[in-house]
DNA sequence: AAAGAGGTCAACCGCTAGAGC
DNA sequence: AGCTCTAGCGGTTGACCTCTT
């Protein structure tokens, strides 16, 4: 008998969360606290996978999250930490408690990577050896997370193209930023 | 005003570490 | 020691949005 899937694929809702689902999840977490995500779908009646619940909470519903509008200071910190730690977004996020790893990852991939590439292109002629930043460059202390303990190396994915088509984004709340 | 291109970001998937038995 | 299960992580996707033509 193989390992069962993390959640029942039949009857599990995918795609954007509705405000009603958010409300259910928030009230559950307020009552029981975050954790034991496995129990959340059964206890709340949400037709969502436990992973989806955890992700929604940590990336969107968790209190104290700042969204969008990265400051110059945050941007510099992310660039510095990325050079220092690599793509360990959770570890980087631990230095920015108001930001989520997903947010930082997105910001890096959409803004900073491009920015740095453009900068690198303009300075390729004057290529002194890049000064690799050190951990003692005035960084705040990270919150202790499991991410900080994990090694950065990961295996390549097995079949990246075998994915079912996504459901349409039909009922997400209107975007606030931009 | 319409169409196409490119950017953004929420959410998914697959994988690994670690706990529990 | 070995197996199962869960939590958490990083990479990726694709719908939606904005800008350009």
């Amino acid at each position: 008998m193989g390992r069962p899937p993390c959640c029942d694929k039949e009857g599990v809702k995918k795609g954007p969360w509705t405000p009603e689902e958010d409300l259910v999840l928030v009230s559950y977490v307020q009552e029981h606290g975050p954790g034991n995500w496995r129990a959340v779908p059964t206890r709340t009646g949400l037709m969502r996978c436990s992973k989806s619940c955890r992700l929604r909470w940590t990336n969107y519903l968790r209190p104290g999250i700042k969204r969008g509008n990265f400051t110059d200071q945050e941007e510099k910190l992310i660039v510095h930490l990325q050079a220092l730690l690599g793509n360990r977004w959770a570890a980087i996020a631990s230095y920015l408690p108001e930001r989520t790893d997903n947010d930082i990852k997105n910001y890096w991939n959409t803004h900073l990577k491009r920015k740095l590439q453009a900068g690198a292109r303009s300075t390729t002629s004057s290529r002194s050896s890049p000064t690799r930043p050190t951990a003692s460059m005035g960084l705040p202390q990270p919150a202790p997370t499991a991410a900080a303990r994990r090694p950065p190396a990961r295996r390549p994915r097995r079949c990246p193209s075998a994915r079912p088509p996504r459901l349409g984004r039909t009922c997400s709340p209107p975007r606030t930023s931009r």
Side-chain angles (χ1 to χ4, degrees):
Chain A
M1 195 173 86
R3 180 179 166 172
C6 79
C7 47
D8 183 19
K9 300 289 182 189
E10 303 283 327
V12 170
K13 192 175 168 192
K14 290 183 184 177
W17 281 64
T18 63
E20 290 78 20
E21 288 176 312
D22 282 347
L23 203 63
V24 170
L25 183 58
V26 167
S27 25
Y28 174 85
V29 174
Q30 277 171 351
E31 196 175 336
H32 299 91
N36 196 11
W37 296 108
R38 179 74 174 161
V40 175
T42 48
R43 289 198 183 183
T44 59
L46 283 171
M47 305 300 283
R48 295 279 181 174
C49 164
S50 57
K51 286 170 85 169
S52 185
C53 295
R54 184 185 62 79
L55 207 66
R56 183 65 179 172
W57 171 258
T58 53
N59 288 337
Y60 206 90
L61 300 175
R62 186 163 55 96
I65 288 182
K66 207 162 85 181
R67 305 191 62 76
N69 298 322
F70 279 74
T71 64
D72 264 10
Q73 198 177 358
E74 285 174 318
E75 193 175 303
K76 280 175 189 155
L77 186 57
I78 292 168
V79 171
H80 170 69
L81 289 168
Q82 204 279 340
L84 194 69
L85 302 169
N87 294 357
R88 295 170 63 191
W89 306 115
I92 292 171
S94 67
Y95 287 88
L96 295 150
E98 294 176 316
R99 303 291 187 179
T100 68
D101 60 338
N102 205 36
D103 214 11
I104 292 170
K105 182 169 63 179
N106 280 333
Y107 190 66
W108 173 265
N109 285 328
T110 57
H111 295 84
L112 298 179
K113 198 156 80 175
R114 217 189 313 275
K115 214 169 176 178
L116 290 179
Q117 276 167 358
R121 259 198 296 279
S122 65
T123 57
T124 39
S125 53
S126 61
R127 231 185 109 168
S128 55
S129 60
T131 51
R132 199 165 168 80
T134 61
S136 59
M137 285 176 70
L139 292 177
Q141 286 303 305
T145 62
R149 283 181 269 119
R150 297 189 76 175
R154 296 179 66 91
R155 266 203 226 155
R157 310 183 65 160
R158 273 190 295 193
C159 56
S161 59
R163 301 187 66 177
R166 287 275 198 112
L167 296 172
R169 207 180 272 186
T170 53
C171 48
S172 60
R175 295 199 185 177
T176 50
S177 59
R178 304 189 318 182

